[in-house]
Amino acid sequence: MKPIVLFFQSTWSKSWRDKLTGAFQYADQVGWHIQVVETGTTTSSVRRVLQEWKPIGCMVDRGLQNSRPPIRIFGKIPTVFLDQSPKMADRCSYLTHDSRASVIMAMEEFIRVGLRRLAFLPWTKAHFWNTERRDAFLEYARKKQIEHFILSPTDNLRQQLAELPKPCGVVCANDLIAQKMMSEAMRAGIAIPDELAVIGIDNDELICEHANPPLSSVYPSFVDAGYRLAEMLHERIRNPKAKHVH
C-alpha cells in the first residue's frame, strides 16, 4: 500500500484543482497516495480524519483563512501550508504566491498598450493576498506616476464604474470579481475594452473564455505551487527537525 498524504483543500475552483494536479505529479514520482479532504480544519474533524487515514504527512491550503495555522491539531505529523498569511505564520513551513508580481504584470500590460489611468477592484473579503495585491497596485501606480483609483466591491459598483474617467484599465483581484465588474459595466452601458479594459488574476478558463468579450487574466502557476508544496512536505518527512521555511 502506498504511503498516504492528506491534502486539506477543496476542488470546486480551477486554481485548487491545478494545485492538486501539481501535488499529484510529485506524488507519482515518490510513490505517495494523496487523499483530498474537503473539510474545514476544526479540531474534531481533523483528528477524526487523521485517525482514519494515518497519513505520513499533510498539506493544508490556507488561501481563504486569515488566522494562525492550526499546527497543534496535526501533532507530530509533518505538515506544510499553502498560501498561509505570512503575518499569521509562526513555527511552520509554508509556501505563498507572489501576489505583487501578479498585479504588476497586469499593470505593465496596460501601460504597454498606452493606458495611463488605472483602477484596482479588490475581492469582497480581506484575505491577505487581496491586501497584498491592492498594496502592490498602489505602490506601482505611485512609482510610475499613473492616475489611479481603488474601487469598492461592496458599494455601488455600477456607479463607481460610471464615474471612472475613461479610458481606464481595471486590474481585478481575481477572475470572479472581474466577472462581476464586467456584468455591472454592461448594465451601465460602458464599452469593454474601449472605455474600460479589464485584466483578472487566476486564469479560470471557464470564466475567461465565456466572458463577453473574453477576459484576459494573469496566471499564477498553481500547478507549480502544488508540486513545490509536496516537495516541501517530503523534505519535512525526511528531516522533521529541519528549520521551517517560507
Side-chain angles (χ1 to χ4, degrees):
M1 181 178 177
K2 291 182 177 181
I4 293 172
V5 166
L6 300 183
F7 198 165
F8 290 82
Q9 62 139 228
S10 177
T11 57
W12 70 266
S13 78
K14 182 180 183 296
S15 62
W16 280 329
R17 291 193 295 274
D18 284 354
K19 295 171 188 176
L20 187 58
T21 296
F24 280 147
Q25 289 175 357
Y26 189 86
D28 289 342
Q29 294 178 17
V30 297
W32 291 347
H33 168 75
I34 292 182
Q35 179 64 39
V36 177
V37 182
E38 297 204 38
T39 182
T41 50
T42 61
T43 300
S44 58
S45 63
V46 172
R47 286 178 177 169
R48 183 171 60 252
V49 171
L50 295 177
Q51 291 174 359
E52 177 182 354
W53 289 100
K54 296 179 174 56
I56 62 168
C58 296
M59 299 180 288
V60 185
D61 195 318
R62 299 278 295 169
L64 298 183
Q65 308 296 325
N66 290 321
S67 57
R68 297 191 180 279
I71 301 169
R72 292 184 179 180
I73 302 178
F74 297 94
K76 295 182 179 181
I77 300 173
T79 304
V80 294
F81 300 88
L82 178 59
D83 285 330
Q84 166 66 42
S85 171
K87 292 183 179 179
M88 295 289 184
D90 54 0
R91 296 180 291 108
C92 71
S93 289
Y94 66 106
L95 181 148
T96 54
H97 288 89
D98 190 340
S99 299
R100 185 177 184 276
S102 299
V103 168
I104 290 176
M105 185 177 292
M107 296 175 76
E108 287 180 340
E109 177 63 15
F110 281 142
I111 293 170
R112 185 187 68 81
V113 299
L115 285 169
R116 302 293 297 180
R117 186 184 294 123
L118 302 179
F120 180 77
L121 178 60
W123 178 231
T124 55
K125 297 182 180 179
H127 299 306
F128 80 94
W129 48 264
N130 189 39
T131 302
E132 286 183 351
R133 290 174 182 177
R134 181 202 63 199
D135 292 348
F137 173 86
L138 288 171
E139 177 187 340
Y140 197 72
R142 289 164 182 162
K143 177 182 176 182
K144 294 294 183 179
Q145 298 183 328
I146 295 172
E147 187 178 2
H148 57 279
F149 309 86
I150 299 292
L151 304 174
S152 170
T154 55
D155 294 333
N156 188 330
L157 182 56
R158 193 181 309 176
Q159 181 178 344
Q160 294 178 72
L161 297 175
E163 292 174 351
L164 277 178
K166 316 292 191 299
C168 183
V170 183
V171 181
C172 297
N174 60 26
D175 294 337
L176 285 170
I177 199 69
Q179 183 182 46
K180 176 182 178 180
M181 182 237 132
M182 292 175 71
S183 296
E184 292 300 315
M186 179 180 67
R187 292 187 178 97
I190 299 170
I192 296 177
D194 296 332
E195 294 181 277
L196 292 181
V198 189
I199 296 180
I201 299 175
D202 287 353
N203 196 37
D204 188 320
E205 294 170 0
L206 186 64
I207 294 174
C208 295
E209 293 179 4
H210 292 87
N212 184 25
L215 173 66
S216 296
S217 184
V218 177
Y219 177 63
S221 189
F222 296 118
V223 174
D224 285 344
Y227 185 94
R228 293 182 65 184
L229 187 72
E231 191 174 40
M232 287 175 63
L233 176 61
H234 201 185
E235 289 298 321
R236 295 222 57 84
I237 291 172
R238 290 184 289 200
N239 189 6
K241 294 184 179 180
K243 184 179 179 180
H244 290 297
V245 295
H246 173 205

